[in-house]
Amino acid sequence: MISKTYAPQEIEAKWYQYWLDNQFFRSTPDEREPYTIVIPPPNVTGVLHMGHMLNNTIQDVLIRKARMEGKNACWVPGTDHASIATEAKVVAMLKERGINKKDLTREEFLEYAWEWTHKYGGIILSQLRKLGASCDWDRTRFTMEPPLYDSVIDVFVDLYEKGQIYRGVRMVNWDPQGRTAVSDEEVITKEIQQKLVYIRYEIAGSQEPGDQQVPGSVPPAPGYITIATVRPETIMADAAIAVNPNDERFKHLHGRKAIIPLINREIPIITDEYVTMDFGTGGLKVTPAHDPNDYALGITHNLPVLDILSDDGTLNEKAQILVGMDRFAARKAIIKLLDESGNLEKTEDYKSNVGTSERTGAVIEPKLSLQWFLKMDELSKPALKNVMDDTIQLVPPKFKNMYRSWMENVHDWCISRQLWWGQRIPAFYMQDGTVIVARNKHEALEKVQHEKLLFAMTEADLTQDEDVLDTWFSSWLWPISVFDGLKDPNNADINYYYPTNDLVTAPEILFFWVARMIIAGYEYRGEAPFKNVYLTGIVRDKLGRKMSKSLGNSPDPLDLIDQYGADGVRTGMLFSSAAGNDLMFDEKLVEQGRNFSNKVWNAFRLVKGWTVSGGQVETQGITAPAVMRYSDQSLPIQWFESKLNATLFQIEDDFSKFRISDALQAVYKLIWDDFCSQYLELIKPPFDSETGTPQPIDPATYEATIDFFERLMQLAHPFMPFITEEIWQDIRERQAGDSICIAPFPKAGAVDEQMLTDFDTLFDVISNIRNIRNAKQISPKTGLPLAIKTASPDRFEKLETLVKKMANVSAISYVNEKSAGEAQAAPADQLALSFLIKGDEFFVNIAGEIDIDQEIANTGKELDYNIGFRESTLKKLSNEKFVANAKPDLVERERQKLADADAKIQALEQRLRDLGA
């Protein structure tokens, strides 16, 4: 017994477990063509959000389709250890337990980190199962598991020995909350409201009132120079004041010195054309330790570098004042002190862009720091070339320009992080500071003993670098390391599955993950890691805001699945998610997805509820999916076969161009409109007037319908896997272990274009007749005669039975071309309403079904309205000023309105004549 309503909660867990039990997602190398996707590993700290839903739904659509096409489909899942985010979570957990990280050894902290990871790390992968993700879970990888950890260390050592990795002091993005360096790509720029503070710096040697100048000495300067800054808390780190050499306002200050307020330290006034004369006051405070541009100026002018901020963002002893105070608290305090000392000229509200840490949200500090770097110039060249020449295709291609801009201006990659959670940098220091890079301390000692001949040295004399590697330094190896291609470069898996086929990810990680994977692929396998990169858009709310927990504008994906079903959520997400375009999420989309599932379910119940007649029908030995020609139902079957095949061609084209949303829309229209609303109505058996139940349907038509339904479920399966499996299993007798997962994806066959054209006309005729019924309030049970004026009556004769059935037409006749002076083409004793379809005219006889007098009155009112509308339009077009000054397209629209009104008036006048008025 088929349930009345579709209940996804009852069937989703059942079928997912069935798929797992039968290992339909499992993949091992064999003779088939491989199709491989590696999941963009979500953070081990993460839970499912709307972006994951979109990204993983697209991946699952691609992998399920490939599996049904007979390919060896392998979707590798896994998680990323996410150094900064995970360490922050663990520190927070420890704080709740009253434990401070500073009181723990590294080993003790890592025990807690692993405890947290084992407890929470698998949450997001288990959530993906509820979505229906058909990953090969036996292949699940984690970037901190030993083989992948060792691969990262091996790559570091290899690149160091190639001279590509070095250690040096550079300005980096510093996260004071995470207390680590972060990459440029992990810095999110935000516009915030700040104070632009105007500070007076006294000029050294300024002449006080009453002072006398000594003959022959340098003339004294005016009393001060004003500098505008949004960072007054860094004035204690100032190394100079810079002015543009061409700025006449400051030429008298060239070579002078200024005095930093509050600490009274003298700094030089230098000249540099870098300074913009029309910004602020025209003067610039130069603080090399706390601004990358100032750092570059400092190098040019050989200025000292004074870092007054500690790693946690508080002022250190070098600041001299406000030591230990947080930088933002110090900013307010400095403004107050400047005001009290008379050095504050004014403050202004000012909007400026500020970099924040993607992981912690803290405002980033530019900071000089000793870090490890990877040279990128040479390594990145193959990655640039092979994307530009489409060896690797970006979808949509508009992102190529962004990619090229990044790669042509690539900087050395800061790969060290000041954390404990992650792959520890394999660098060991001798007591004199000599660096030995090796996979472990034992190998480092061997290098010392054999290369430096220090045989008395022991492992106790070596100290390992405290830092770990940037998380992306492990994930850039992901397509290779998940197949152990670095530890065992010639193993069966890497040789079979690499390069992978398609990568689905977000544009915001195009550079710091996608590009780096391409770099690693060419460096360690000599070829690209994937062939196509499908770049999804960002999921936004109806106001255009990116969905996030902090804004409170993001629904819980699991709540959506509970309410609408996984299939409803999947299709809802995909209905408007073209590649590279942001998705404006509206829960109504998911509701539409659920309604689609309900529509399919109700169609299934309808078909399975039919009784098949026992009579024999000649099928001429033709079986689906060939075109069938039998019984009175043969035309709908032939039509839908062509419609299905035409749609399959379209869908294959959509998939080839990664138009996943378009492919789903085509499936949706085929099932909802063409199959449910049209085909099933065309072949549906009539009701028995005595019993009120459907009459039996002939076996051939029923078998054709079941075949169509089966293929439609296979076509829709990649998009909505659960309901299609439920219906597919029940629509025919199945063997144990059968599944739609491995059923063939439908292939396009012959398309009868004339048949499609004829049925388009058929549906137009039916629609027009139904519209006439509705407009004139004529009961659907009332049969109406139809007359057709056409040069090709044979085109309509074969459709007569269907027109009569679908539009309740009592009789169909054909009339000749109108003779000269004839009032109407329909017989004179009939009252007919007409409509045109592609040059053919149709007359529906409604005589006796309407009130003639009322119809004449209504038509007269409509005629009066259109005459008035025509006159107003004609008046506007007769206005030479309007025609001369209005935009051409506006004038053309008015002319079209006039032409439409003329045609309407003629039709209404003819209508009145037909009514005898």
Side-chain angles (χ1 to χ4, degrees), residues 818 821-832 843 910 913-915:
K818 282 194 289 187
E822 233 181 345
Q824 61 183 49
D829 60 344
Q830 297 179 2
L831 174 60
F843 303 88
Q910 179 62 51
R913 287 194 292 272
D914 293 342
L915 290 167

Side-chain angles (χ1 to χ4, degrees), residues 102-130:
K102 293 179 180 178
D103 298 330
L104 300 176
T105 65
R106 187 187 196 104
E107 289 69 26
E108 289 170 337
F109 177 82
L110 289 177
E111 285 182 14
Y112 285 112
W114 278 110
E115 174 194 328
W116 192 96
T117 299
H118 292 317
K119 185 175 182 179
Y120 298 106
I123 290 177
I124 193 166
L125 296 184
S126 65
Q127 291 174 330
L128 285 176
R129 298 181 183 219
K130 289 185 175 295

